[in-house]
Amino acid sequence: GSEHGFFIHETRLLSHYGILINGERPQRVLASNVQQHSWLGYYIAYPPGIPVMPRDHGSGGIEDDSERTLEIRASRFIGGGMHEDIDICNFSQYPTSFELALEVDADFRDIAELRFPQEQPGTIDSDWRGHALTFHYQAERRAAPDAGGDIVRVDRKVTIAARRSGSEPEYR
């Protein structure tokens, strides 16, 4: 419902993107542009399955959130598409196991449609093959009479592919 997302040529391809650890959103610590076309985000979470350590009552200088020791670093580069590396480091002294999930959705809305919501024509299909999820949008409509009244066809796709993952990706 927001005007944010991943846009190309004034069309929002990805309308939702999120990282989950065992179904929970990690806490965002930092998100910043590094250079014009790159972005870096740091997130933290408690490593699933390890003992919850008692709160630091000593100096009072350690915030509860800083005791979360599973760090997720997302490094994103935009150019000829979008490339993102997700690196996870467990800083606790215990082994952990968890499900890393990426939530993605696509709506292919024109930037003008975001400002003035209307029913979007066309269909969006999704297809999971191997390590890739493809969203495919197709629409057809008649242009306004003053624009010639011709049939205008739109055919767009966006593919999200997992590479170099430590386990076999699955789709749900």
Side-chain angles (χ1 to χ4, degrees):
S2 75
E3 293 183 13
H4 300 291
F6 178 58
F7 288 81
I8 293 180
H9 302 296
E10 297 188 9
T11 299
R12 181 170 68 181
L13 299 185
L14 293 181
S15 56
H16 178 78
Y17 183 87
I19 297 172
L20 301 174
I21 301 291
N22 280 356
E24 300 288 326
R25 293 198 190 291
Q27 179 181 342
R28 184 170 65 186
V29 176
L30 170 75
S32 178
N33 287 338
V34 177
Q35 294 178 356
Q36 184 176 3
H37 298 290
S38 62
W39 175 90
L40 183 63
Y42 279 97
Y43 303 84
I44 55 175
Y46 290 110
I50 70 165
V52 176
M53 305 306 287
R55 183 168 184 216
D56 177 309
H57 292 287
S59 67
I62 298 177
E63 297 180 27
D64 288 343
D65 292 338
S66 68
E67 295 179 0
R68 297 179 184 191
T69 55
L70 189 64
E71 178 185 279
I72 302 102
R73 183 181 68 211
S75 309
R76 186 176 301 157
F77 178 77
I78 307 289
M82 182 179 96
H83 173 92
E84 182 170 80
D85 289 318
I86 299 173
D87 298 297
I88 302 171
C89 189
N90 177 8
F91 287 108
S92 76
Q93 297 179 19
Y94 302 94
T96 185
S97 178
F98 54 87
E99 177 186 80
L100 169 69
L102 298 180
E103 282 185 321
V104 293
D105 202 1
D107 66 2
F108 298 92
R109 290 204 178 268
D110 182 273
I111 199 165
E113 292 175 334
L114 297 175
R115 292 188 187 112
F116 307 103
Q118 58 188 348
E119 186 174 332
Q120 185 178 17
T123 60
I124 300 173
D125 297 310
S126 62
D127 183 37
W128 172 257
R129 290 187 190 199
H131 297 152
L133 174 63
T134 299
F135 292 100
H136 185 196
Y137 171 68
Q138 293 179 305
E140 185 177 288
R141 60 181 147 188
R142 185 167 298 282
D146 60 340
D150 295 334
I151 298 292
V152 177
R153 289 179 181 81
V154 177
D155 191 334
R156 303 273 189 261
K157 289 183 184 180
V158 63
T159 299
I160 298 99
R163 305 268 191 258
R164 295 177 37 202
S165 62
S167 60
E168 190 68 21
E170 297 178 13
Y171 172 76
R172 263 188 262 152

